[in-house]
């Protein structure tokens, strides 16, 4: 139900098109960093067209599914189905007063996306072209072949073994005199190029007449990745790339003076290519994990390099030598809404009905071929270590191209809604009411992918004298995700507002141009639980042996026991807020909230013995709490030809697990209950063992044999042994930060302007456990410069990392305070310099507006990780910086 902003009693944040379009982000979610208090946006690694940032509204309040509900024009849809320029506004609903209407879907928060509508009389046309260069934001640096070989020798010495590489061999790696037998391959340089590029074109036509308002929008967006040695086959390439076309028609037609019909038709059509059978994550894993000394890119026989140790994982061959995959999306979205004004029946009454239908599928065509690789092994003189011969072994075959295709994933979503609205005003009273019903169905391909939900809700809004406002909401909803007896629930809420600025004693204030207090309480739900767990499960077993010959026979075995009773999660939310405008310069919004979540699905391992011999059921008995505040400040002023705005946002959210059926733990410091969701636990490092005497005098560490240079841990329970019972809470949660903040700045003078957004997080812990980047050499992996400060006898007093080792070394490479580190950062998310051409100049060319701009995204970061992006610490396609030049024109 639409309300004037001054009448709103709930905690709602909003960002509008003019702020969103200051970013050249491809995914609208990536334009939301630091834009709305209470909305946490965390970037993920991966290409811009395959990944979404993590979105949280007021942190997380459950140990289960934390996904927020995203509604586009009132219907559930992924936000990445849109382009930035077709969005009019995005609202974040944060408290029960705003969320109760969504019943079983409101507990995690709701994002309301509204697309643009036709406005303005006459036909208007606008266009925007954006050309960008993309660059890996930060990738790790690895040791060259000589450094790797030296590190391997050091690690073997630490393990009590002899050198693997002799001095003459080290010299060959260092000099590059024998590049095929003693290669020195920079796999990043060989596999990647410095820059990718992107192109974006938006065209919008809109018009408003007496009976028709429409907007026709088209977006073409393409991006090429940063693979280097790609191959071309016809018009296809093994470069990772993607092109999408978004088309939208939003139209409103006045069928009569009291009847309005709205239609919204949208589609997203995309196609991209990548190497045939290997995704970007696997390719980057091999780029990062293959040592420079492993093998050459190609041997002197012009055959791909490789070894039996590393198989056919040559990253250059995986990019350019195995064929290509073509992948495309076809998504179609339709909204039909009919609204009838019933003033002739009851003044202020109207009825509305709508239907939405979405259909989406992804097709995949793979043209792949195998390739041969060769291992070259030098035979050395046992005395001089000179190369006297070479063993040449070939593996694999250069197979012919094969073709395979698939059509997956597929889904369709159908939603029907109807509502009855009433509005009335008399004297200084105002009353608005709505009754709302909705039914939706989602069907995907595969088992347990059908979701059906029904929702009925009512809201009553009353305002008195423009000062006092009350909203009361009651929703009822049901879901097929739960057993029939437990799938329905009621969700009430009440919120109030007091606009102090309109009181007689403040209405003439020269300090406050706005001042309002808000408060709300209510209940919302979350039904996102695993489907069909109330059934007894049967699953494949390892087989049964019986009969005269005791032969094995396949069969089924009892799986997880049925979970019953089950319920949806219930979130009890309280909120107090204040909105203020001061001296027509400063806008302030502050909300303090508390959320208690019940009915969270948990295991029952803490209730039943594992001796039962079968997987234990789940139980809807988990309880958490979530509390914190959202603060938003915006300073703005216009002085003749000069204007500026400066904003700051700060959110603090701390959650706690109250109940989760935790297994027995002998010491309180081991308990996860009472801690934050995702709280990091590990052993507390107190240094490194100095020598054998130090080891003998210290508590016995039980994970593996220890040597000088291994991590020494604190004996928390003082029993003389170091084991898993010595783990303690370290740092903060690894799921989501407690503190999320941002700062914005914009200035403009006579058409020249500048905008930027800084965004950061704090109270967040990252686990540095990525092979080769942080954990070196194990299982013949690589070693990065991160390990330069590893312990050696010479650096024992200054080392910050344990000794190098070729073994698994279960003592060092486990969760502990060395690998659990502060994940805080401050990033310059966007920066823009622009020029708006003056209207007298534009009129000569019959233009309405024109702007030229230069933008950057992800320009720098201040953090403690240094070697990689703190938001992307794994072996995956890196997060990207982009540099864009664009022009906007309005006719």
């Amino acid at each position: 139900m639409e309300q004037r902003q001054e009448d709103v009693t709930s905690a709602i944040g909003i960002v509008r098109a003019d702020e969103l379009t200051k970013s050249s982000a491809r995914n609208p979610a990536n334009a939301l960093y630091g834009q709305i208090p209470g909305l946490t946006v965390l970037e993920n690694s991966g290409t811009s067209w395959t990944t979404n940032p993590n979105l949280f509204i007021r942190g997380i309040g459950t140990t289960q599914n934390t996904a927020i509900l995203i509604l586009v024009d009132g219907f559930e849809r992924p936000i990445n189905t849109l382009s930035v320029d077709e969005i009019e506004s995005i609202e974040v609903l944060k408290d029960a007063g705003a969320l109760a209407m969504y019943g079983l879907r409101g507990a995690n928060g709701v994002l309301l996306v509204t697309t643009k509508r036709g406005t303005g009389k006459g036909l208007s046309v606008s266009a925007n072209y954006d050309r960008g260069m993309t660059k890996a934001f930060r990738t790790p640096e690895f040791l060259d072949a000589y450094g790797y070989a030296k590190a391997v020798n050091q690690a073997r010495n630490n393990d009590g073994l002899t050198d693997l590489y002799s001095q003459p061999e080290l010299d060959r790696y260092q000099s590059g005199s024998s590049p095929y037998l003693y290669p020195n391959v920079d796999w990043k340089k060989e596999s990647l190029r410095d820059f990718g590029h992107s192109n974006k074109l938006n065209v919008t036509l809109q018009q408003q007449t007496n009976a028709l308002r429409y907007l026709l929008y088209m977006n073409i967006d393409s991006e090429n990745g940063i693979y280097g040695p790609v191959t071309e086959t016809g018009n296809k390439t093994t470069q990772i790339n993607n092109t999408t076309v978004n088309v939208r028609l939003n139209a409103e037609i006045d069928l009569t003076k009291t009847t309005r019909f709205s239609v919204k038709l949208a589609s997203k059509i995309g196609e991209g290519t990548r190497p045939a059978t290997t995704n970007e994550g696997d390719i980057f894993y091999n780029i990062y994990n293959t040592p420079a000394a492993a093998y050459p890119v190609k041997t002197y026989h012009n055959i791909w390099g490789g070894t039996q140790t590393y198989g056919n994982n040559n990253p250059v061959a995986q990019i350019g030598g195995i064929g290509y995959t073509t992948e495309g999306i076809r998504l179609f979205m339709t909204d039909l809404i009919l609204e009838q004004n019933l003033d002739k029946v009851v003044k202020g009454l109207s009825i509305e009905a709508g239907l939405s239908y979405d259909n989406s599928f992804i097709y995949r065509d793979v043209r792949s071929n195998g390739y041969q690789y060769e291992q070259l092994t030098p035979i050395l003189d046992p005395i001089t270590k000179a190369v006297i011969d070479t063993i040449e072994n070939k593996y694999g075959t250069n197979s012919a191209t094969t073709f395979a295709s698939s059509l997956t994933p597929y889904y369709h979503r159908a939603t029907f809604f109807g509502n009855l609205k009433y509005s009335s005003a008399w004297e200084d009273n105002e009353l608005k009411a709505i009754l709302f019903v909705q039914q939706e169905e989602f069907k995907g391909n595969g088992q347990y992918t059908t979701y059906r939900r029904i929702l009925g809700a009512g809201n009553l809004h009353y305002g008195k004298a423009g000062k006092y406002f009350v909203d009361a909401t009651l929703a009822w909803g049901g879901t097929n995700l739960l057993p029939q007896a437990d799938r329905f629930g009621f969700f009430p809420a009440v919120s109030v507002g007091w606009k102090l600025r309109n009181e007689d004693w403040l209405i003439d204030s020269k300090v406050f141009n706005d001042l309002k207090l808000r408060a709300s309480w209510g209940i919302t739900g979350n039904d996102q639980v695993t489907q069909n767990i109330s059934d007894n499960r049967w699953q494949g077993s390892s087989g049964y042996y019986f009969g005269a010959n005791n032969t094995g026979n396949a069969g089924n075995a009892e799986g997880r026991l049925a979970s019953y009773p089950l319920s949806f999660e219930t979130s009890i939310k309280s909120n107090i807020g204040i909105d203020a405008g001061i001296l027509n310069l400063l806008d302030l919004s502050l909300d303090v909230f508390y959320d208690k979540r019940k009915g969270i699905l948990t295991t029952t391992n803490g209730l039943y013995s594992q001796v039962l011999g079968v997987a234990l059921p789940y139980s809807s008995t988990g309880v958490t709490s979530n509390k914190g505040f959202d603060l938003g400040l915006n300073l703005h002023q216009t002085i003749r030809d000069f204007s500026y705005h400066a904003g700051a946002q700060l959110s603090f959210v701390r959650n706690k697990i109250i109940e989760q059926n935790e297994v027995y733990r002998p010491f309180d410091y081991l308990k996860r209950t009472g801690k934050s969701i995702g709280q990091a636990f590990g052993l507390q490092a107190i240094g490194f063992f100095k020598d054998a005497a130090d080891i003998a005098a210290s508590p016995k560490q039980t994970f593996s044999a220890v040597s000088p240079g291994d991590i020494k841990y604190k004996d928390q329970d003082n029993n003389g042994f170091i084991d898993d019972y010595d783990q303690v809470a370290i740092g903060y949660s690894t799921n989501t930060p407690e503190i999320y903040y941002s700062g914005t700045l914009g200035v403009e003078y006579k058409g020249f302007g500048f905008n930027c957004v800084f965004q950061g997080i704090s109270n967040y812990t990252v686990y540095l456990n990525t092979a080769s980047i942080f954990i070196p050499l194990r299982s013949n992996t690589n070693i990065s410069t991160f390990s330069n400060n590893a312990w050696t006898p010479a650096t024992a007093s200054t080392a910050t990392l344990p000794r190098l080792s070729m073994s698994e070394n279960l003592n060092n490479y486990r969760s502990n305070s060395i690998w659990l580190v502060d994940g805080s950062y401050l990033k310059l998310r966007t920066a823009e310099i622009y020029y708006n051409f003056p209207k007298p100049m534009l009129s000569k060319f019959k233009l309405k507006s024109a702007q030229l701009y230069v933008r950057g995204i992800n320009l720098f970061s201040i953090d403690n990780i240094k070697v990689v992006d703190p938001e992307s610490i794994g072996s995956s396609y890196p997060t990207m910086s982009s540099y864009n030049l664009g022009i906007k024109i309005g006719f």
Side-chain angles (χ1 to χ4, degrees), residues 143 147-160 707-710 774-778 782-784 786-793 801-807 809 812-813 819:
L143 301 190
Y148 168 80
K150 291 276 288 182
V152 167
N153 282 351
Q154 178 66 53
R156 287 175 60 86
N157 295 162
N158 292 339
D159 293 336
S707 301
D710 284 336
F774 304 111
I775 309 298
L777 301 178
R778 291 194 308 172
N782 205 356
I783 179 171
S784 77
F786 175 81
S787 295
N788 284 348
N789 204 23
W791 185 96
T792 67
L801 299 173
R803 69 181 176 92
L804 300 178
S805 175
M806 298 296 291
S807 69
N809 201 319
N812 291 345
Y813 301 127
W819 311 118

Side-chain angles (χ1 to χ4, degrees), residues 10-26:
S10 302
I12 299 175
I14 187 170
V15 59
R16 302 191 186 279
D18 55 347
E19 293 297 324
L20 293 172
T21 53
K22 292 176 182 177
S23 169
S24 293
R26 190 175 195 186

